[in-house]
Amino acid sequence: EAQVTQNPRYLITVTGKKLTVTCSQNMNHEYMSWYRQDPGLGLRQIYYSMNVEVTDKGDVPEGYKVSRKEKRNFPLILESPSPNQTSLYFCASSPLNNEQFFGPGTRLTVL
Amino acid sequence: SQKIEQNSEALNIQEGKTATLTCNYTNYSPAYLQWYRQDPGRGPVFLLLIRENEKEKRKERLKVTFDTTLKQSLFHITASQPADSATYLCALEPYGQNFVFGPGTRLSVLP
């Protein structure tokens, strides 16, 4: 089944404790992206990647890192999480210039 | 400044009527515009993509128009059903695959 998977789905952590949210797609898509969604602010792009070893900042990249070592994986790294990074996170993938397929979301709480 | 607006935060309509949602943008010149559906707690699901040289696109009960002069897209759901109740998001890619989403319109179709 064609899909985007994210892990974990739910995470509660404490300020400053490094964490990684994994994202994987099995559709051989070139493009992958991370978003965060917050009430009143909508869906905002954090980082995106148009291919292996190519990543670019979205609208809200501060406090986040990504890597694209393989085409199928695009992990999101929070080196030192803070409470303002509490949010619902979505990973997405697509062929270039086409519809995006979204993962199920990761609900992160930083205490 | 650049902005995407959707006509209203919430829209209530009666079952069987046509729902019309609006997406307006300023200071962008997108090559295409996309519409997504999002149910609570889940990732957005792609519905339609319309390119700048297309005036209208249809898919079953859905219709999208794109007016690059007015900088506006209209999204119509004909013969609406309670199952169409969801939040609908418009999205555009102004440059370099940096996607920007509108705030969404929460549609409620009343039986």
Side-chain angles (χ1 to χ4, degrees):
Chain A
E1 180 191 352
Q3 61 183 345
V4 177
T5 56
Q6 295 179 228
N7 282 293
R9 294 289 314 280
Y10 302 90
L11 180 59
I12 299 174
T13 189
V14 295
T15 298
K17 187 176 181 183
K18 181 179 178 179
L19 66 91
T20 299
V21 183
T22 64
C23 173
S24 184
Q25 51 99 0
N26 61 2
M27 295 168 279
N28 201 36
H29 288 162
E30 295 87 358
Y31 180 87
M32 296 187 75
S33 180
W34 275 102
Y35 297 88
R36 62 178 289 174
Q37 189 169 38
D38 303 287
L41 295 175
L43 205 58
R44 295 178 294 168
Q45 192 173 42
I46 303 170
Y47 269 96
Y48 63 94
S49 168
M50 292 174 68
N51 215 325
V52 176
E53 302 292 359
V54 178
T55 62
D56 280 293
K57 295 178 181 178
D59 292 324
V60 288
E62 294 77 21
Y64 303 95
K65 282 176 56 176
V66 292
S67 68
R68 189 92 181 271
K69 293 185 170 57
E70 307 163 279
K71 197 171 187 179
R72 64 182 292 125
N73 296 323
F74 191 45
L76 179 69
I77 303 156
L78 285 71
E79 294 269 4
S80 183
S82 62
N84 65 10
Q85 292 179 297
T86 292
S87 187
L88 179 58
Y89 291 86
F90 290 104
C91 180
S93 75
S94 76
L96 289 178
N97 301 315
N98 217 317
E99 66 177 280
Q100 293 187 74
F101 293 81
F102 282 81
T106 294
R107 191 169 291 280
L108 173 65
T109 301
V110 183
L111 302 174
Chain B
S1 65
Q2 297 172 317
K3 202 188 306 184
I4 302 180
E5 295 175 322
Q6 294 189 239
N7 56 326
S8 55
E9 191 174 324
L11 179 66
N12 296 330
I13 64 165
Q14 212 63 39
E15 183 176 4
K17 301 291 186 184
T18 296
T20 297
L21 284 62
T22 305
C23 178
N24 294 294
Y25 58 93
T26 57
N27 297 323
Y28 290 117
S29 297
Y32 59 89
L33 188 146
Q34 302 178 348
W35 283 89
Y36 290 82
R37 169 188 172 135
Q38 187 175 25
D39 293 289
R42 307 191 70 152
V45 174
F46 172 80
L47 296 174
L48 283 167
L49 180 153
I50 186 164
R51 302 189 186 278
E52 59 179 340
N53 60 347
E54 298 174 317
K55 295 292 185 194
E56 183 180 297
K57 204 84 169 280
R58 291 176 185 261
K59 180 182 175 183
E60 297 172 353
R61 295 185 294 111
L62 309 180
K63 184 178 88 171
V64 172
T65 63
F66 192 14
D67 188 324
T68 55
T69 302
L70 292 178
K71 295 188 181 292
Q72 180 182 81
S73 176
L74 298 180
F75 177 80
H76 307 272
I77 306 175
T78 58
S80 59
Q81 305 164 0
D84 295 326
S85 298
T87 295
Y88 291 86
L89 307 167
C90 64
L92 54 86
E93 178 261 309
Y95 52 86
Q97 301 291 326
N98 177 204
F99 276 92
V100 181
F101 279 79
T105 295
R106 189 171 64 252
L107 174 68
S108 296
V109 180
L110 308 172

